[in-house]
Amino acid sequence: MKEKNEMKGVANGMYIVQRIATILIIVASFFPVFNPTRVSKMISDNVSLFTAAVSYNTLTADFARAFRMEWVSEGAFAVVYIASIIILLGIILMAVGGCMSLGNVRMQKTGVLFSLGGAIVDVIGFVVTFVSYTVVNNSTQPNRIKNIGPQIPSGFIVYAVLAGIILITALFIMVSLPKVDKGMKYEMESKYKLFLMFLPFVALAFVFCYLPLYGWRYAFFDYKSGDTLSMDNFVGFKWFTYLFNNGATRTDMINTMRNTLIMSFLGVGTSWIPMIFAVFLCEMRSLKFRRFVQTFTTIPNFISWVLVYAIALAIFSTDGFVNTFLKELGVIAQNAQGKNYLMGDSFTWVKMWAWGTWKGVGWSAIIYIAGISGIDQSLYEAATVDGAGRFQKMLHITIPGLLPTFFVLLLMAIAGCLSNGLDQYLVFRTPQNQDTIRVLDLWVYDLGIGGGSIPLSTVIGMAKSIISVALLFGANSVSKALRGESIV
């Protein structure tokens, strides 16, 4: 018994080491600096293992001239692509093994086979990578060796070490785990099942929300698109001071912040509309009519802003529906040119708020509809017995039951008040309204993509993220002080 417990303790310790190594190798696959298949210096610094494995065109994007002039064999990079796929496949197998290690003994037995198989597949991938390096080196014209720059990437060593750790621990675990009874089923505790269900969303949040923070390093370099980052173009806080010291930039920033905050707080101040809409929607007696209204108001959320602008153009342009209708009524002369309501800069903030509300009110009401279904029905029954009418029930039961949800969404809206989005303002922008419609995200787009000032746009993006986090914690502190509840 003592020996069995010791073996179990060894397996648990090995599992900890294996899981850490598995997490590191998964994370590293998204970072270009750790790409183990960057066997040529001409492969972009922005190509990670994941990108190299899913896109051959991205892997060889900088080799068009080299392939055309036959400086290097294109087939050599087909081998690099295959090596990337093999290594990524091995990482997937190791990830599956790591997830199965949270189950019972039988599931752990199967999971360790996945981890072992994944490590072996990675070893094969490393061999193919070394072969690809050899092929690239041998197929490169001698006078073009410096251009192509064949190399063994530093990430190769990192991956080899992590795969070796997983391979060794898998062998130890395989020996340490007890024998499985024939009748044992694959089982896992509910908490681990829920964790694994939640894990894909954590991974997506990491890839799309936290991984891009790696790009903040551009704010400290004098960088132009296509250049490489090195200490030669390191400028420290130059762009941070430029943002405030340059008069034109400072004026643009003040104007942009004014537009951003006004339009954001228009949305925050009317954030109660989806809640009231959901309340009245649930009070409709006709189920068919309720479903029709809910569907009709939810559909606009799935329409792109380009199509929304096309609808607006068809209604409010010079020859649109409004002007045609006014001509039919005789308000405008038949031979007169109609007014283009989309071109002017009057009431721009209200217009943008109205379009955003129309597009999102039905979708935003869904969470309140779900909240209404969760209110205890006995409260309504008791209110009916006491003689309460429909509006009294709404006022004293439904709305108070939705207030916790409303305050959570309100705090999130306050935290995101600097993030108005880009699409809506980009498609509705005209030369007449560009000074009143330009919000922070649109300004960052204009600076980075339109003007090529990537460091400055990165600085603004950094400032926006930091201020948003500060606003979240500030709003959370106010909520905790006033309501005694917080979301952080």
Side-chain angles (χ1 to χ4, degrees):
M1 187 67 180
K2 183 179 179 181
E3 184 179 350
K4 185 177 180 180
N5 290 334
E6 289 179 354
M7 295 293 286
K8 187 177 181 181
V10 171
N12 290 336
M14 290 295 174
Y15 264 133
I16 293 174
V17 175
Q18 186 187 92
R19 289 165 186 162
I20 293 174
T22 302
I23 292 172
L24 290 176
I25 203 169
I26 292 172
V27 172
S29 65
F30 293 99
F31 281 90
V33 70
F34 297 116
N35 185 0
T37 59
R38 189 171 179 264
V39 295
S40 169
K41 291 181 179 179
M42 282 189 66
I43 297 177
S44 174
D45 293 339
N46 298 319
V47 175
S48 64
L49 172 66
F50 179 82
T51 306
V54 299
S55 176
Y56 177 76
N57 290 333
T58 304
L59 176 67
T60 59
D62 296 331
F63 286 86
R65 185 164 181 261
F67 291 154
R68 188 173 62 253
M69 303 298 293
E70 296 183 351
W71 294 349
V72 65
S73 170
E74 186 173 357
F77 287 88
V79 181
V80 177
Y81 181 56
I82 293 171
S84 302
I85 294 175
I86 293 174
I87 295 175
L88 186 62
L89 178 61
I91 293 174
I92 293 173
L93 292 175
M94 288 187 284
V96 172
C99 293
M100 296 184 72
S101 69
L102 299 174
N104 62 356
V105 176
R106 184 172 184 183
M107 189 170 284
Q108 289 176 349
K109 278 278 189 181
T110 306
V112 76
L113 293 177
F114 274 98
S115 296
L116 184 62
I120 294 173
V121 169
D122 266 9
V123 170
I124 296 173
F126 298 147
V127 173
V128 176
T129 301
F130 186 78
V131 171
S132 67
Y133 159 74
T134 304
V135 174
V136 169
N137 191 39
N138 292 337
S139 65
T140 303
Q141 294 180 7
N143 60 330
R144 294 296 178 181
I145 286 289
K146 290 184 179 180
N147 296 48
I148 304 301
Q151 63 178 2
I152 297 292
S154 57
F156 185 90
I157 301 173
V158 174
Y159 275 80
V161 170
L162 291 174
I165 292 173
I166 295 172
L167 178 62
I168 294 171
T169 53
L171 292 173
F172 270 102
I173 292 170
M174 185 178 294
V175 176
S176 303
L177 287 175
K179 292 183 179 180
V180 179
D181 297 333
K182 293 183 179 179
M184 183 180 290
K185 297 180 180 180
Y186 290 105
E187 292 180 353
M188 184 181 293
E189 293 183 37
S190 297
K191 61 180 180 181
Y192 294 128
K193 291 180 181 178
L194 294 173
F195 171 74
L196 292 179
M197 291 172 64
F198 178 66
L199 196 59
F201 300 99
V202 174
L204 289 173
F206 170 77
V207 171
F208 292 105
C209 298
Y210 293 98
L211 190 61
L213 297 181
Y214 183 65
W216 279 9
R217 69 191 191 279
Y218 291 107
F220 303 96
F221 292 85
D222 212 352
Y223 176 80
K224 293 183 180 178
S225 183
D227 291 349
T228 56
L229 296 182
S230 66
M231 293 308 297
D232 294 335
N233 54 15
F234 179 79
V235 292
F237 291 95
K238 168 190 171 181
W239 294 106
F240 291 84
T241 56
Y242 178 85
L243 181 63
F244 298 99
N245 292 339
N246 184 277
T249 306
R250 188 167 58 247
T251 301
D252 287 343
M253 181 178 64
I254 294 172
N255 179 61
T256 302
M257 288 298 295
R258 180 199 63 179
N259 298 335
T260 301
L261 292 176
I262 289 176
M263 282 192 265
S264 291
F265 282 106
L266 275 175
V268 171
T270 56
S271 58
W272 50 270
I273 292 178
M275 181 177 69
I276 300 302
F277 176 74
V279 171
F280 281 100
L281 190 66
C282 291
E283 289 296 325
M284 292 182 180
R285 296 188 183 278
S286 173
L287 185 59
K288 290 184 179 179
F289 184 66
R290 183 198 304 178
R291 288 176 177 172
F292 168 77
V293 173
Q294 186 175 357
T295 302
F296 186 76
T297 54
T298 304
I299 286 176
N301 179 74
F302 301 99
I303 301 175
S304 71
W305 278 109
V306 176
L307 293 180
V308 171
Y309 181 75
I311 295 171
L313 194 66
I315 298 174
F316 297 108
S317 63
T318 304
D319 55 350
F321 170 77
V322 172
N323 285 301
T324 303
F325 182 69
L326 292 177
K327 287 180 181 180
E328 293 293 331
L329 292 178
V331 178
I332 301 176
Q334 290 291 336
N335 58 350
Q337 185 177 8
K339 180 180 179 181
N340 192 331
Y341 297 95
L342 298 177
M343 292 296 291
D345 63 343
S346 57
F347 304 105
T348 300
W349 300 327
V350 178
K351 290 176 185 176
M352 292 300 98
W353 166 81
W355 282 111
T357 302
W358 169 78
K359 192 172 186 294
V361 67
W363 177 257
S364 300
I366 291 176
I367 191 169
Y368 292 109
I369 294 173
I372 291 173
S373 65
I375 297 176
D376 190 355
Q377 294 300 310
S378 63
L379 297 175
Y380 293 100
E381 296 171 1
T384 303
V385 173
D386 291 338
R390 295 178 67 186
F391 282 97
Q392 290 176 315
K393 293 177 186 177
M394 291 163 53
L395 185 62
H396 297 288
I397 298 176
T398 307
I399 293 179
L402 293 177
L403 283 180
T405 303
F406 170 74
F407 282 117
V408 170
L409 295 178
L410 180 64
L411 291 179
M412 299 301 293
I414 293 173
C417 67
L418 296 183
S419 300
N420 301 80
L422 167 68
D423 302 353
Q424 176 184 1
Y425 307 99
L426 181 63
V427 297
F428 277 93
R429 182 171 60 176
T430 64
Q432 287 78 17
N433 67 11
Q434 62 180 353
D435 289 334
T436 53
I437 203 173
R438 184 176 59 196
V439 293
L440 203 57
D441 290 328
L442 183 57
W443 189 36
V444 170
Y445 170 82
D446 288 338
L447 288 173
I449 306 300
S453 184
I454 294 176
L456 184 59
S457 61
T458 305
V459 168
I460 298 170
M462 289 174 64
K464 188 189 81 168
S465 299
I466 294 170
I467 293 173
S468 296
V469 172
L471 286 172
L472 174 62
F473 281 96
N476 183 71
S477 300
V478 173
S479 174
K480 191 173 183 179
L482 297 180
R483 301 173 53 243
E485 297 180 5
S486 62
I487 62 171
V488 179

